Amino acid sequence: MTETTAGPGASRLGTAGAAVAVAAMATNGLAYLLPMLGARYLPVEELSVLATTLALVAIAGVAGVGLQMAVAVHRARHPGAPTHRVSLVTTAVAGGAVVVAAPLMITGLRLSSTVVALVAGTTVAVVLAARWLGELQGEQRFVRLAWAMGVVALGRYGGMIVALVLGADVVVTLLAGMLTAWLVLPALAWIARPDRPAGNDVAATMRIRQVASAGTAALAMLAVSYADLIFARQLLSPADSGAYAVGTVLTKGALWAPQVIVVLALPRLAVGDNRVRTVVLAIVAGCGVVLVAASALAGGFAFRLVGGEDYTSLGRYAPFFAATGALYALIFAAVNAKIAAGARWPSAPLWVAAAVLAVLTTTVAPRTFQGIMWCALATAAGTALVMVFSPPRASRPAAGDRSSPPGPAAALPRPAPAAPPG
């Protein structure tokens, strides 16, 4: 499993892409299997708790998404540069945010203090894992990245899946997930062990503001894409919110299915290859069209596959959930391009979208399954138009900060040919 940090050629990129795609498919498969099993093994109220908790971990753990993107961009520009200090600070901030928000989660979402504590413990493990994923991604060690993604997926979802199959309730299931998320961290660190000593260049030291910029954008993106599920939990009956949770599995499928393209493209975007942006957006949009068409043809089967026979009648809504996810996939790709370019406020349109969605669902739309679904779709469509047609603009580099966004691509050193991945 030896790789260099150099950029891969066409054939090696294809091999690396296939490896990451398989790992992403396995990760998504486990992520989708979990709520599917929850729908079969848990009562409706506990299913809603599980879905809400998974959403909260995703939102709180988005600090890890931002950390991974920031580390990947930094390592693409400075192979071997240290990242441990900023990773620990990010993890501490993410865990502390969950603790501060605990009273709100207990009262507003009707979650027990035990469940909230498990959310906090799982969040810390998820954010810690992001450091090693970012290092592998930024240095284009994609085969190792694929192995690491698989390990993270097993830790994050494997324990919960086993617990559900064994008949555990929602609290024991969440406890199993937290424990396995921590247990896989040593294996992840071993996979990401460096091929060269860590750099000592002080000018290349990673800044917390890099993580803050990427993390804020990732948080806004995940918040707006999961907000409809949170509002469904808060505004709908337990039965309707459980049904809505099944629909959002289709949304997340369309959102994450094409993200392997973004993973492979981010290091190239970070060194100024902005032509990749157009290609990435086109591929992600094409994937979305295919997924929406498939859900329109087999919506009943999709809902039955996800939630069981009781949800088959909701199949007519499948294309709308898939379209929402496809639009958010396009938004996520555009956000990554802005972060790679060092845009000053990549998250601004997303926070506006989150506020608009909150206003629509709580004051304008009817408090029904369909009302929340249409609000989510309309918000995603408007945000996608803004993000796709606003090209990334780099902020002005700070004096002496070699981690600032690069200048023209021609001024950047090009990666050397890679050794064969393995």
Side-chain angles (χ1 to χ4, degrees):
M1 196 163 61
T2 301
E3 292 178 272
T4 70
T5 59
S11 61
R12 295 186 182 111
L13 183 61
T15 301
V20 174
V22 170
M25 289 174 60
T27 299
N28 291 333
L30 291 175
Y32 305 150
L33 179 61
L34 180 58
M36 289 169 61
L37 292 174
R40 286 167 169 77
Y41 287 97
L42 295 176
V44 172
E45 175 61 22
E46 289 198 359
L47 172 61
S48 182
V49 171
L50 176 64
T52 302
T53 302
L54 293 177
L56 289 171
V57 171
I59 292 172
V62 79
V65 179
L67 177 63
Q68 179 179 342
M69 288 191 290
V71 168
V73 169
H74 190 70
R75 279 292 181 94
R77 297 168 181 166
H78 307 287
T83 62
H84 57 279
R85 183 185 64 85
V86 75
S87 300
L88 292 176
V89 172
T90 303
T91 301
V93 170
V98 176
V99 173
V100 171
L104 179 61
M105 289 187 281
I106 292 171
T107 58
L109 298 176
R110 305 188 302 277
L111 298 175
S112 69
S113 57
T114 300
V115 168
V116 173
L118 293 173
V119 170
T122 304
T123 296
V124 172
V126 168
V127 176
L128 277 173
R131 168 199 171 182
W132 293 293
L133 296 178
E135 291 177 355
L136 293 170
Q137 181 185 0
E139 295 185 350
Q140 302 186 65
R141 295 188 288 166
F142 290 125
V143 174
R144 288 194 186 186
L145 175 62
W147 283 105
M149 289 169 62
V151 169
V152 170
L154 285 175
R156 188 166 180 177
Y157 303 112
M160 287 188 281
I161 289 172
V162 172
L164 282 175
V165 172
L166 294 178
D169 63 16
V170 68
V171 173
V172 175
T173 297
L174 294 172
L175 175 61
M178 185 192 72
L179 293 176
T180 53
W182 278 95
L183 288 173
V184 300
L185 292 182
L188 183 61
W190 180 81
I191 292 171
R193 65 196 186 279
D195 292 325
R196 65 178 70 182
N200 294 316
D201 191 342
V202 175
T205 299
M206 191 172 178
R207 316 294 187 194
I208 191 64
R209 61 180 173 78
Q210 296 171 256
V211 181
S213 177
T216 302
L219 175 61
M221 210 290 296
L222 265 293
V224 73
S225 66
Y226 276 93
D228 59 329
L229 178 61
I230 301 296
F231 289 129
R233 167 69 179 173
Q234 186 177 23
L235 302 176
L236 303 182
S237 67
D240 285 346
S241 65
Y244 197 91
V246 175
T248 58
V249 176
L250 303 180
T251 300
K252 299 308 172 282
L255 167 59
W256 296 117
Q259 293 310 316
V260 61
I261 303 300
V262 180
V263 170
L264 297 178
L266 184 61
R268 296 304 310 165
L269 290 168
V271 295
D273 195 350
N274 287 318
R275 294 170 299 176
V276 174
R277 179 181 185 270
T278 301
V279 176
V280 169
L281 292 177
I283 294 174
V284 171
C287 289
V289 170
V290 171
L291 291 171
V292 172
S295 65
L297 295 173
F301 172 76
F303 264 86
R304 184 170 68 253
L305 179 65
V306 173
E309 293 291 340
D310 293 342
Y311 300 97
T312 303
S313 62
L314 299 175
R316 64 187 181 276
Y317 300 116
F320 306 112
F321 282 100
T324 301
L327 288 166
Y328 281 132
L330 206 57
I331 294 166
F332 191 67
V335 167
N336 272 260
K338 288 180 178 292
I339 291 170
R344 186 175 295 277
W345 302 112
S347 63
L350 304 179
W351 289 119
V352 172
V356 169
L357 181 58
V359 170
L360 290 176
T361 54
T362 58
T363 65
V364 177
R367 297 187 175 187
T368 62
F369 178 100
Q370 296 88 344
I372 295 178
M373 179 192 74
W374 286 117
C375 288
L377 178 58
T379 302
T383 308
L385 286 174
V386 172
M387 295 297 295
V388 170
F389 292 103
S390 59
R393 293 182 177 89
S395 59
R396 180 175 297 177
D401 184 2
R402 291 174 52 196
S403 298
S404 298
L412 294 167
R414 292 294 182 184

